[in-house]
């Protein structure tokens, strides 16, 4: 079977960041799950921070730099997506949102997405449901049922409860991935609508 | 090949002095730029149309009519004429009128306008932008080509027995370019009619501009107007020049850093790499502009943006001197040497008039098709 590509977009700011830590664990779990089913996969990890200037410039100028264009194409071309945002002021971070603001609004249509977020306390965990899930629903992606939140305690005392959530979400993402045919992209520059159709529409 | 300048008519603070010119000064500056463009040997002056500050040119034919009286050779054009929010009837009449006053030195570039609030001010909706551009332009063409028009469409009151007046000069409508940055529908529209296609590439990477122009060329051929490399292509360019390139960079940087559109974003160096912006010596501008031909094929019209971001008029006029004296003569020679014979020039009033006369002569000859072909030579 064809190698599946999993793009991971994480918006942590520090090095190392807990968002990156969670992203790595989710990616590893998804890769394990795929390999358990005999499916080869490749993980494409994208740190939004590495593209912070390019993202701002894209908003201001309307086009991505050559480097950012490659990154956006990687996400658009992936079979599934894992996204991780830190929780800032009761929502995803601005940097995280900026990435999806500059991405083509059709790029995620039909793509399975595993939603994840991090924060200092588990009190913010519903950010996944009231902020991330609507965003990806709007983008016509297919967010899997289980979203994963990791608070500071999940790296210590609660680590044993984080692990099964990661596994559950990874299993769901792989199941969704197997059900979905790769999204079809229509290139308007290669197949323009004939002018007679435009005139008569 | 035609060379010229285009201006959007922005009133922007000069970031080096903190001063902002008045509307009157800006409007007169645009006239001075047009007159200078002719004086230094450029072929085209094109101006934008805007209905919102900080832009002044809301009434292009008033301004172009005034410029027509002060010039004698330069082609007056637009960048762009809002085909979406203007009434096509008024465009037909205004520009036919201008044609007569300017002895045919007129063409137009159609554009949709990307400022959402402008549409409702004129009773329209930006979400209908493509539909408006298509329907309005189809009507505009008929108004220029048919003496009496009956018409009904979606966006405008129907017309019954209407004649746009005055009729186009010599019965020849102005040549039309369609400008679009990323809508394949507009490239398709230009190709369908065999009109020109202008890509204002100045804020865009080469790879994007290439896709739009390739689409237009391919469809131009599809619709039977000629080979793809005979399609009529126009491009923008943005330059700032001094004898020493470092002087150009130092002088232009504050204008770049604070400019509308891209200011406070990428660095001058990044933007120069990603887009056609060239800040440096005249020789660097020549070399950069020549690469356009390599990227996009032989093309017919090159317009430079020279006067935005608060640059003082005096500086702009100096830039036009450099452009006209040191850059364009070299470009003319180089482009001409590289261009194959079958690639046409951009149509002008004179060439369109001659073509119309040839077509009329053909119609009067009632002969089998084969001999008509011979007679027409």
């Amino acid at each position: 079977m064809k190698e599946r590509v999993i793009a991971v977009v994480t918006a942590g700011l520090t090095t190392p960041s807990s968002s990156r830590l969670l992203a790595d664990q989710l990616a590893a779990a998804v890769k394990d799950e795929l390999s358990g089913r005999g499916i080869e996969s490749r993980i494409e990890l994208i740190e939004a921070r590495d593209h912070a200037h390019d993202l701002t410039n894209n908003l201001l100028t309307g086009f991505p730099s050559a480097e950012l264009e490659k990154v956006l194409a990687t996400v658009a071309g992936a079979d599934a997506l894992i996204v991780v945002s830190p929780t800032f002021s009761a929502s995803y971070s601005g940097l995280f949102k900026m990435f999806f603001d500059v991405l083509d609004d059709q790029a995620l249509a039909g793509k399975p997405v595993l939603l994840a977020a991090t924060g200092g306390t588990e009190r913010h965990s519903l950010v996944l449901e009231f902020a991330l899930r609507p965003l990806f629903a709007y983008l016509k992606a297919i967010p899997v049922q289980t979203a994963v939140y990791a608070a500071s305690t999940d790296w210590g005392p609660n680590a044993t409860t984080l692990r099964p959530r990661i596994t559950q979400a990874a299993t769901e993402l792989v199941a969704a991935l197997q059900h979905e045919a790769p999204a079809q992209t229509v290139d308007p520059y290669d197949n323009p609508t004939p002018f007679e159709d435009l005139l008569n529409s | 090949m035609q060379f010229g300048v285009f201006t959007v008519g922005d009133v922007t603070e000069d970031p080096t002095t903190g001063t902002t010119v008045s509307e009157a000064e800006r409007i007169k500056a645009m006239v001075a730029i047009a007159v200078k463009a002719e004086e230094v040997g450029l072929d085209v002056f094109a101006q934008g149309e805007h209905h919102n500050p900080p832009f002044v040119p809301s009434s292009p034919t008033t301004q172009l009519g005034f410029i027509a009286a002060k010039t004698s050779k330069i082609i007056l054009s637009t960048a762009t004429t809002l085909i979406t929010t203007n009434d096509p009837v008024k465009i037909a009449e205004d520009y036919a009128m201008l044609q007569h006053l300017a002895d045919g030195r007129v063409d137009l570039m159609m554009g949709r306008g990307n400022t959402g609030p402008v549409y409702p001010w004129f009773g329209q909706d930006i979400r209908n932008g493509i539909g408006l551009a298509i329907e309005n332009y189809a009507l505009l063409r008929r108004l220029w080509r048919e003496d009496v028009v009956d018409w009904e469409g979606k966006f405008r009151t129907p017309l019954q027995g209407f004649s746009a007046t005055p009729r186009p000069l010599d019965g020849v409508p102005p040549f039309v370019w369609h400008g679009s940055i990323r809508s394949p529908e507009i490239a398709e529209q230009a190709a369908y009619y065999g009109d020109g296609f202008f890509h204002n590439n100045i804020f865009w990477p080469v790879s994007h501009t290439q896709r739009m122009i390739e689409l237009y060329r391919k469809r131009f051929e599809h619709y039977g107007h000629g080979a793809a490399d005979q399609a009529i292509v126009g491009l923008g360019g943005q330059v700032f020049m001094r004898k020493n390139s470092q002087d150009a960079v130092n002088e232009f940087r504050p204008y770049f850093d604070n400019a509308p559109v891209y200011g406070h974003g990428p660095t001058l160096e990044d933007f120069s790499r990603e887009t056609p912006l060239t800040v440096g010596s005249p020789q660097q501008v020549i070399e950069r502009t020549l690469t356009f031909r390599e990227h996009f094929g032989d093309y017919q019209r090159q317009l430079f943006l020279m006067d935005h971001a608060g640059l003082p008029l005096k500086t702009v006029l100096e830039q036009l001197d450099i452009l006209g004296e040191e850059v364009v003569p070299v470009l003319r020679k180089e482009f001409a040497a590289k261009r194959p014979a079958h690639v046409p020039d951009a149509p002008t009033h004179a060439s369109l008039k001659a073509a119309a006369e040839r077509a009329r002569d053909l119609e009067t000859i009632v002969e089998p098709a084969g001999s008509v072909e011979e007679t027409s030579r």
Side-chain angles (χ1 to χ4, degrees), chain A residues 57 60 63 187 189 195-196, chain B residues 188 192 203 211 223 261 265-266:
Chain A
N57 290 345
L60 298 184
F63 67 88
D187 187 336
Y189 299 99
F195 192 73
E196 295 287 356
Chain B
E188 176 74 11
Y192 176 82
F203 302 139
R211 300 194 74 193
Y223 287 116
V261 184

Side-chain angles (χ1 to χ4, degrees), chain B residues 202 237-242 245 248-249 252 268 271-273 275-289 291-292 304-306 319:
Chain B
I202 61 175
Q238 192 193 358
V239 301
F240 189 87
M241 299 165 285
R242 290 297 178 201
S245 58
V249 170
F252 191 64
L268 173 61
F271 204 69
S272 299
R273 194 175 54 246
T275 77
L277 173 65
T278 308
V279 181
S281 66
Q283 186 56 35
Q284 284 174 295
V285 169
I286 289 167
E287 284 164 17
R288 189 72 181 276
T289 309
T291 67
F292 294 0
F304 292 99
L305 176 69
M306 308 296 290
Q319 291 294 309

Side-chain angles (χ1 to χ4, degrees), chain A residues 44-64:
Chain A
E44 293 281 357
L45 184 96
I46 295 150
E47 289 264 16
R49 187 199 157 106
D50 293 346
H51 309 286
H53 279 279
D54 279 355
L55 289 169
T56 305
N57 290 345
N58 190 343
L59 285 179
L60 298 184
T61 63
F63 67 88

